[in-house]
Amino acid sequence: MAFTVWPEALQLGELFRQAGFELALVGGPVRDLLLHRPSHDLDFCTSARPEEFEPILKAWGDGFWDMGRKFGTLGAIKRRPDGTEVSVEITTYRSDTYDPNSRKPEVNYGDSLEGDLSRRDFTVNAMALRLPECEFIDPFHGANDLQAQLLRTPVDPRQSFDDDPLRMMRAVRFVAQLGFTIAADTAQAITEMTERIRIVSAERVRDELTKLLLSANPHAGIEALVESGLADIVLPEIPALQLELDEHHRHKDVFAHTLMVLDRAIALETDEEGPVPAPDLVLRLAAIMHDVGKPKTRKFEPGGKVSFHQHDLVGANITRKRLKALRFDHHIVDDVAKLVELHLRFHGYIDEPWSDAAVRRYVRDAGHLYHRLNRLTRADATTQNKHKEAMFAHAMDEMEARVEALQQQEDIDAIRPDIDGSEIMQILGLTPGPLVGKARKHMLDYRLDHGPVDHDVAVAELLRWAQEEGLS
């Protein structure tokens, strides 16, 4: 088994050996070594107690932290000669006991590396390298599972998930990140124990969902989330998209369509220099949530047709509620909900190309989400009709070209009325209040409709509006 161990790990191993303590590299870094994947954060476990290895870590590192001290964990950063850094965390051997109503363990120190490995989530994360000799330790045959791309728990899966239900979310996340399959007994245990996920904080669930969506294959992760039954609890709007087809099969399988949109949106992400650098959490969330309003708005029309009127607006409200419940940051909630609300906006352009005013309004309403909205809209055009597909792509290309042309003439990304609020009050003799806001809105609409105009033209329009409103 050939691999190159990080020199920092070997340095620490020698320092711990000299002090009379055991040290082993464990978990993800060992797995990534075998997969030849990069890893910038190194996890270790040791026979030493925190107060015993703290001086070693402080002397070795260029930075030190102890936020995990109550769990037996201390950390440090080491700066390399090339300017890069490696982060390490070292934890005393543990043997946790769990309260059935909490996923937070009562930390008890263990006395062996093998015992520590037995409490880990999956066999592929329960391998270790004793340092500095680099002895490979694999009591649960994680290397075999790694080769088979299989996720199994080191102990009975029911015990493992009962101890820490978040491990069920980690399983579906690893499906997305690593392309692994969940072993049959492990998958069965997840299906039977989904209710246990309710004791996990929304923040923890959110973090796992975020890692899943930002992974190499979130499509597979979402499928696993739904198949396991976990989605029924943590993201119920997604399995709800598995609508029963109407008897005439005249509308799409919305769940399958959603996964297709997710794949297409990811394919439209850009490199770091582009407007939507991959991986983009907001775009990917919008892709999986864009049609969540359909189950509530589905209506069977005469002739066997199916409609989903205003599913964009209903979906935006549902999205906002769900993302808030998952404790996503406010700006992410606002951005994703806005994309869901606007994802049908462009479709009217195909039937009748917009005026310049309508193009300005589209850009203004999309704001900083303009490039994401266009990508979501393109991704959502999943028609199998090649002619319709070509027409849609041509229309979107044309609209984007018009936006570029208008941006060269005027700053439509930051459109403001030609007369600001202060000048409106001065011209009309108003004091701050609702009338000023109403006047400003009219002047903004005028600006959107007519583009930039000379100042005297804008003043004349304001006075005309004021007279029409009965203002002297």
Side-chain angles (χ1 to χ4, degrees):
M1 192 176 295
F3 45 74
T4 302
V5 180
W6 295 270
E8 294 84 3
L10 297 174
Q11 291 169 7
L12 282 169
E14 181 60 30
L15 290 173
F16 274 68
R17 186 191 65 78
Q18 292 174 7
F21 303 124
E22 297 176 6
L23 184 73
L25 186 70
V26 293
V30 179
R31 180 197 71 222
D32 290 342
L33 267 180
L34 300 183
L35 291 174
H36 304 289
R37 288 162 51 103
S39 186
H40 304 291
D41 300 324
L42 306 183
D43 295 322
F44 302 85
C45 63
T46 178
S47 59
R49 302 294 174 88
E51 63 272 14
E52 294 175 320
F53 70 82
E54 181 175 348
I56 301 174
L57 204 53
K58 282 183 172 178
W60 172 82
D62 299 302
F64 172 83
W65 66 87
D66 65 350
M67 286 84 76
R69 185 183 294 273
K70 66 179 180 179
F71 299 111
T73 301
L74 303 178
I77 287 179
K78 183 75 169 179
R79 296 188 184 90
R80 292 167 171 157
D82 64 0
T84 61
E85 295 180 340
V86 60
S87 173
V88 307
E89 284 194 346
I90 303 177
T91 303
T92 302
Y93 294 154
R94 283 166 50 170
S95 176
D96 300 336
T97 57
Y98 288 82
D99 180 336
N101 298 313
S102 171
R103 64 170 295 271
K104 295 181 180 179
E106 177 185 332
V107 178
N108 299 309
Y109 291 133
D111 54 12
S112 72
L113 173 59
E114 288 76 7
D116 185 276
L117 294 177
S118 72
R119 50 167 287 278
R120 295 181 178 268
D121 54 4
F122 303 106
T123 59
V124 295
N125 293 330
M127 301 177 287
L129 277 181
R130 289 190 189 275
L131 299 171
E133 59 269 39
C134 291
E135 177 190 359
F136 182 60
I137 307 297
D138 186 17
F140 304 103
H141 310 293
N144 291 339
D145 290 340
L146 196 64
Q147 186 173 15
Q149 297 189 320
L150 197 65
L151 288 171
R152 285 191 307 114
T153 53
V155 298
D156 183 278
R158 289 162 185 80
Q159 176 189 333
S160 181
F161 299 144
D162 191 57
D163 286 346
D164 186 357
L166 187 63
R167 290 170 178 165
M168 297 187 290
M169 286 292 298
R170 287 171 61 83
V172 297
R173 189 246 292 181
F174 283 134
V175 169
Q177 278 189 331
L178 302 175
F180 285 10
T181 300
I182 303 173
D185 63 334
T186 304
Q188 181 65 26
I190 294 174
T191 299
E192 293 174 357
M193 300 180 68
T194 52
E195 286 295 319
R196 285 287 288 163
I197 201 67
R198 294 188 188 278
I199 73 168
V200 179
S201 72
E203 290 82 359
R204 292 283 188 175
V205 171
R206 174 205 63 206
D207 291 346
E208 289 299 324
L209 182 61
T210 297
K211 291 174 184 177
L212 185 159
L213 286 172
L214 295 179
S215 69
N217 189 7
H219 179 132
I222 294 295
E223 282 188 321
L225 191 70
V226 171
E227 290 170 3
S228 69
L230 287 168
D232 292 332
I233 298 173
V234 303
L235 199 60
E237 295 79 8
I238 303 305
L241 295 174
Q242 295 176 310
L243 299 172
E244 294 181 8
L245 290 175
D246 61 283
E247 59 178 328
H248 300 287
H249 298 273
R250 293 190 181 176
H251 75 269
K252 301 173 184 176
D253 177 335
V254 185
F255 177 65
H257 165 74
T258 294
L259 292 179
M260 187 184 299
V261 172
L262 174 62
D263 292 340
R264 288 163 59 94
I266 291 171
L268 292 171
E269 291 173 340
T270 63
D271 59 21
E272 292 184 2
E273 302 302 317
V276 187
D280 190 86
L281 179 61
V282 168
L283 178 60
R284 296 183 183 198
L285 278 169
I288 66 169
M289 301 298 287
H290 79 283
D291 272 349
V292 295
K294 281 190 171 180
K296 283 194 173 183
T297 59
R298 182 173 61 159
K299 183 178 179 181
F300 294 98
E301 305 284 359
K305 293 184 178 181
V306 181
S307 66
F308 303 97
H309 294 308
Q310 294 194 319
H311 78 268
D312 46 347
L313 301 179
V314 172
N317 290 332
I318 292 172
T319 296
R320 185 176 297 278
K321 183 177 179 180
R322 175 55 54 196
L323 297 189
K324 281 185 177 180
L326 286 169
R327 303 291 193 272
F328 276 97
D329 290 343
H330 293 306
H331 74 277
I332 291 179
V333 175
D334 291 342
D335 286 354
V336 176
K338 189 70 171 178
L339 287 172
V340 173
E341 178 184 338
L342 294 176
H343 81 273
L344 296 180
R345 180 74 171 272
F346 174 75
H347 288 259
Y349 187 98
I350 302 169
D351 300 325
E352 183 179 350
W354 294 338
S355 64
D356 284 351
V359 172
R360 292 188 193 100
R361 290 178 187 278
Y362 178 85
V363 176
R364 172 180 170 269
D365 291 346
H368 69 281
L369 298 171
Y370 170 76
H371 292 289
R372 288 190 181 101
L373 177 59
N374 287 357
R375 281 160 173 76
L376 177 62
T377 303
R378 286 181 184 271
D380 190 33
T382 59
T383 177
Q384 298 300 308
N385 185 314
K386 296 300 181 183
H387 178 65
K388 286 184 177 180
E389 181 182 17
M391 284 183 59
F392 187 93
H394 175 74
M396 177 62 83
D397 292 342
E398 179 184 270
M399 192 273 291
E400 289 181 337
R402 290 180 62 190
V403 169
E404 290 183 12
L406 284 171
Q407 284 174 326
Q408 292 178 2
Q409 301 169 23
E410 50 185 287
D411 186 9
I412 62 173
D413 290 329
I415 288 178
R416 299 289 186 273
D418 292 300
I419 303 175
D420 64 20
S422 297
E423 193 172 2
I424 287 172
M425 289 189 288
Q426 181 181 358
I427 293 171
L428 299 182
L430 298 176
T431 57
L435 273 178
V436 179
K438 190 174 181 181
R440 188 182 185 283
K441 181 181 183 304
H442 172 76
M443 294 307 299
L444 177 58
D445 289 339
Y446 185 81
R447 168 70 172 80
L448 289 166
D449 290 338
H450 297 85
V453 297
D454 291 339
H455 183 263
D456 58 343
V457 174
V459 171
E461 172 59 25
L462 176 64
L463 293 173
R464 186 201 65 75
W465 173 83
Q467 185 177 18
E468 187 176 271
E469 291 291 314
L471 301 175
S472 56

